[in-house]
Amino acid sequence: MVIWMKNSQYWKERFELLEQVQNQKGRQCYVEIEKQYLEAQRRIEGKISSWYMRFAKNNNISIKEARRLLNAGELEELKWDVHQYIKYGRANEINGAWMAQLENASARAHINRMEALKLQMQQELEVMFGNQLDSIDSAMRDIYKAGYYHTAYEIQTGIGIGWDFATLDRNKISKVIHKPWAVDGKNFSERVWGNRKKLVNEIHTELTQNIILGENPQKAINAIAKKMKTSKNVAGRLVMTEEAFFSSVAQKDCFKELDIEQFEVVATLDSHTSEICRRMDGKAFPMSQWEVGVTAPPFHVWCRTTTAPAFGDEFDNVGKRAARGADGKTYYVPGNMTYKEWQKTFVEGDKTGLQETMPGDIIKAEEARIQSVKDTQTFAEMQNYMKDCHGVVVDNSVGLLDFQSVKEGVHGIEYIIREFPQAKSSFKAVGTAKNGLMCARYDGSINFNPSCYKTRESALYNHGVGEGMVQIGFHPKGNNCFGSGAHESGHILEKALIDKVSGESILGTLNWNDCTYAKSIVSDACKNTKILPECKGMINSQLKGAISQYARTSDSECLAEAVCDVALNGEDAAPLSKEIWKLLKKELG
């Protein structure tokens, strides 16, 4: 067995994706709550309109009329409604205090018109907030449970070692989600009821003031709609902040279960990222210093920041923890194991088909960690490594050229992925083309065709073919496959750059010459420098301080050659190459 000792970027990306899934669960809960608000608002507006039509003269009603007692028939009609409210409340465990009020109203012999309307409106709000609390409770349970198990899944599949995991029972989850965590000492249930009380009071006040002033009922309806919207926004902030907390605490509890000693803060970096999250991004702390709002998220309302395990020397500790699993057994975890397969295996206990490890095997595996694709020894090993570490599928369905050449080319690709982690998702696959040469397409795939590779003493050259595709083949002028992989990755960076601006994939529609933003990156760098004509070679003929003349072919090739030049020559690369690299780093790095 070989453990792919993933770098920090791998763990950041995996846990950032996990938080995006958790965040979406919170947003789905808010969508449900939003529907509940709209339905309650519609019903309240209907009751107000009906009430005014029934009792008002000239579309308004005096305070005297509003306080007039209901006659025997009207009172009996109201009590029918109240009895239905009580029946519903008992079946759905509605707030006990409100149930007491309804019981009292049911027993009273005299109720005025305004009290009757307030009873009807408050019933709608009690039902809405009861549903809201159920939605939040259900969502937070799911977020904590999913966060806990998915964290374990990511770590065990990431290190290649698995062992049994204790099942989370309902009581344990209840204790976690109902425990107050904020400085005011309130849990989300208390916050929901606090929001309810505030909204009920505001709506009752609005209605009373409207009647006292003898105003049109539509004014009251509009004002109540505004209050409902404000309350809905409060609910949104509550849901998303609670989501961030329970997602965070699920990770913390799982990290402790796995004996992880340090965690790293991982912020989603975009135009919406807060200043505090930008400052905290990348900072690592020992688990003993985990403190929400100080070292761990959420740092603010609507926070999207998460954490990831910070592996260093303490990785050995995880191996030791694995060796003392519940049944004393550990197992190799395939990198392609799905979450459902992992759950069935390590939560439910079905180990069918898994290979058991011994403590000595874990130590040997740790000693054999792969740090880069250049450390792989076989094609299968390279496939597993690229998929596990970078999400890039390397296909050999037709049969590639010799392994060393492929490995050098893929190493060039990996180098650029690591240098531009924000563009990683743009790199999709390396495989065998059905026709043409080695192809780098703007869908993020780079393909080989073995028929184009005649000898080991070959280098790659570029050939544009339209439809947003660039083909690469060998020519007998050298053997720098690393530079070729880096060059073609430069074209993938173009796609990442343009996708960033458009906000969507431009697969199949890209014409680089029409992409003014990407071209400006090159144009900005070319303003005060020239491509040196004395460098006439292809990719393998990079000269220190000069970019190849092939860069004069087009803006697109200039960008790709600049990427290749810096990848090969570092600080000795041409000034133009370094300037383009710097601009790409600013936009994508």
Side-chain angles (χ1 to χ4, degrees):
M1 176 202 169
V2 175
I3 289 179
W4 319 118
M5 190 51 210
K6 314 305 196 287
N7 59 23
S8 174
Q9 189 59 37
Y10 169 86
W11 296 108
K12 286 182 180 180
E13 290 171 354
R14 295 307 302 168
F15 281 88
E16 187 174 2
L17 287 173
L18 176 56
E19 172 52 30
Q20 289 174 11
V21 173
Q22 296 284 72
N23 187 271
Q24 189 57 36
K25 291 178 186 289
R27 291 185 180 277
Q28 278 298 116
C29 177
Y30 181 50
V31 168
E32 291 180 17
I33 290 173
E34 193 171 34
K35 291 177 181 177
Q36 293 164 7
Y37 268 95
L38 291 174
E39 177 62 17
Q41 182 178 327
R42 183 186 65 79
R43 293 172 68 90
I44 286 173
E45 289 176 358
K47 289 183 183 301
I48 292 174
S49 296
S50 175
W51 189 82
Y52 268 90
M53 287 178 64
R54 187 170 185 178
F55 296 115
K57 296 177 181 178
N58 300 322
N59 211 31
N60 57 50
I61 190 168
S62 69
I63 189 66
K64 182 178 179 181
E65 291 171 325
R67 288 175 176 169
R68 184 172 298 165
L69 294 178
L70 297 175
N71 61 39
E74 292 167 344
L75 180 61
E76 185 64 23
E77 184 180 323
L78 172 67
K79 288 189 175 183
W80 292 343
D81 289 341
V82 171
H83 290 155
Q84 291 297 315
Y85 297 162
I86 292 172
K87 183 178 179 180
Y88 177 89
R90 287 171 178 166
N92 293 275
E93 299 181 359
I94 292 292
N95 178 19
W98 174 238
M99 290 298 296
Q101 289 184 49
L102 289 174
E103 295 283 1
N104 181 54
S106 177
R108 287 172 59 190
H110 303 289
I111 296 176
N112 65 41
R113 294 173 176 179
M114 186 179 295
E115 287 177 309
L117 178 59
K118 287 181 178 179
L119 277 171
Q120 292 174 325
M121 288 196 301
Q122 186 164 346
Q123 172 65 11
E124 296 298 335
L125 295 180
E126 295 290 343
V127 171
M128 181 194 74
F129 278 103
N131 291 336
Q132 181 183 134
L133 187 58
D134 289 343
S135 296
I136 296 175
D137 185 271
S138 176
M140 295 311 131
R141 288 176 184 275
D142 182 32
I143 285 165
Y144 178 80
K145 186 175 181 179
Y148 187 85
Y149 283 143
H150 276 277
T151 295
Y153 164 73
E154 292 294 351
I155 293 174
Q156 290 193 354
T157 54
I159 65 176
I161 305 171
W163 62 94
D164 284 340
F165 226 70
T167 302
L168 290 172
D169 60 63
R170 185 174 180 84
N171 289 335
K172 180 176 180 180
I173 296 174
S174 293
K175 288 180 181 178
V176 172
I177 68 169
H178 290 140
K179 181 179 179 181
W181 60 271
V183 292
D184 62 2
K186 295 180 180 179
N187 60 26
F188 67 79
S189 177
E190 292 168 315
R191 294 177 191 282
V192 168
W193 291 125
N195 192 17
R196 173 198 62 86
K197 182 178 180 180
K198 183 174 185 292
L199 183 59
V200 167
N201 290 339
E202 288 178 341
I203 288 180
H204 284 178
T205 300
E206 196 67 49
L207 181 64
T208 302
Q209 289 177 345
N210 184 269
I211 293 173
I212 290 173
L213 296 174
E215 294 179 332
N216 188 299
Q218 187 59 45
K219 188 170 183 179
I221 289 174
N222 293 343
I224 288 171
K226 188 175 181 180
K227 300 291 186 185
M228 294 282 281
K229 182 178 180 181
T230 299
S231 179
K232 181 184 69 176
N233 292 339
V234 170
R237 291 196 297 272
L238 169 64
V239 167
M240 298 313 297
T241 304
E242 295 290 318
E243 175 277 318
F245 171 76
F246 289 117
S247 180
S248 182
V249 80
Q251 287 186 326
K252 178 196 71 173
D253 292 347
C254 187
F255 286 174
K256 286 186 174 180
E257 172 69 16
L258 296 175
D259 282 357
I260 290 170
E261 295 183 355
Q262 292 192 80
F263 67 95
E264 181 177 354
V265 178
V266 181
T268 299
L269 299 176
D270 56 29
S271 60
H272 303 293
T273 307
S274 68
E275 185 59 35
I276 185 173
C277 289
R278 289 182 185 277
R279 292 199 309 268
M280 294 300 294
D281 183 48
K283 294 187 182 300
F285 302 93
M287 288 298 300
S288 60
Q289 293 182 15
W290 184 295
E291 184 177 354
V292 169
V294 180
T295 60
F299 294 106
H300 55 82
V301 175
W302 298 95
C303 187
R304 298 171 297 155
T305 294
T306 185
T307 60
F311 286 124
D313 293 339
E314 80 279 2
F315 180 77
D316 296 335
N317 202 44
V318 179
K320 293 172 185 175
R321 174 66 182 86
R324 64 174 196 270
D327 62 358
K329 297 179 180 180
T330 58
Y331 301 83
Y332 295 138
V333 178
N336 60 353
M337 176 178 270
T338 66
Y339 173 73
K340 287 186 177 180
E341 291 170 339
W342 175 88
Q343 188 176 40
K344 182 179 179 182
T345 302
F346 295 110
V347 177
E348 299 172 13
D350 182 0
K351 307 297 192 306
T352 305
L354 277 194
Q355 181 183 352
E356 187 180 345
T357 72
M358 298 298 289
D361 296 330
I362 296 173
I363 295 172
K364 291 177 183 177
E366 289 178 12
E367 293 173 348
R369 295 173 196 165
I370 290 179
Q371 303 290 342
S372 167
V373 71
K374 66 182 180 182
D375 298 328
T376 58
Q377 301 300 312
T378 65
F379 187 84
E381 202 171 271
M382 181 178 70
Q383 280 182 309
N384 290 334
Y385 170 79
M386 287 299 292
K387 182 178 180 181
D388 289 348
C389 286
H390 302 301
V392 174
V393 176
V394 180
D395 174 50
N396 190 27
S397 58
V398 178
L400 303 178
L401 73 163
D402 67 284
F403 173 66
Q404 282 302 120
S405 296
V406 176
K407 185 165 72 170
E408 286 184 21
V410 175
H411 185 210
I413 296 168
E414 181 186 33
Y415 177 84
I416 301 304
I417 289 175
R418 285 180 167 174
E419 286 292 322
F420 295 90
Q422 295 291 73
K424 179 176 179 177
S425 61
S426 296
F427 292 80
K428 300 300 183 185
V430 178
T432 306
K434 295 180 180 179
N435 51 57
L437 308 171
M438 175 179 173
C439 306
R441 300 175 183 267
Y442 284 104
D443 65 354
S445 64
I446 299 177
N447 300 323
F448 295 87
N449 185 334
S451 65
C452 301
Y453 300 94
K454 305 303 181 185
T455 66
R456 175 72 181 85
E457 291 73 32
S458 299
L460 302 174
Y461 68 89
N462 312 297
H463 179 62
V465 295
E467 287 298 324
M469 183 178 77
V470 177
Q471 292 186 330
I472 316 165
F474 273 99
H475 74 88
K477 298 269 187 182
N479 60 3
N480 197 323
C481 300
F482 173 90
S484 300
H487 174 104
E488 291 312 308
S489 296
H491 291 302
I492 303 300
L493 293 184
E494 295 173 19
K495 173 189 178 297
L497 191 68
I498 298 161
D499 285 352
K500 177 183 176 184
V501 175
S502 66
E504 58 187 23
S505 174
I506 38 104
L507 174 62
T509 63
L510 179 66
N511 181 342
W512 203 91
N513 289 326
D514 294 334
C515 299
T516 56
Y517 179 74
K519 287 182 69 176
S520 71
I521 292 292
V522 177
S523 299
D524 289 346
C526 293
K527 285 178 181 177
N528 300 312
T529 186
K530 295 179 180 179
I531 300 173
L532 304 182
E534 61 267 25
C535 181
K536 299 179 180 179
M538 304 296 279
I539 290 178
N540 195 42
S541 302
Q542 300 288 339
L543 300 180
K544 291 183 178 181
I547 191 170
S548 75
Q549 188 165 323
Y550 184 61
R552 306 179 83 176
T553 306
S554 67
D555 291 331
S556 178
E557 296 304 339
C558 180
L559 186 149
E561 278 293 87
V563 169
C564 173
D565 186 11
V566 175
L568 284 171
N569 298 313
E571 287 301 316
D572 291 328
L576 173 60
S577 299
K578 289 190 286 188
E579 186 63 24
I580 291 175
W581 181 276
K582 180 180 178 181
L583 287 167
L584 286 171
K585 276 285 185 181
K586 179 181 177 182
E587 299 295 331
L588 297 174

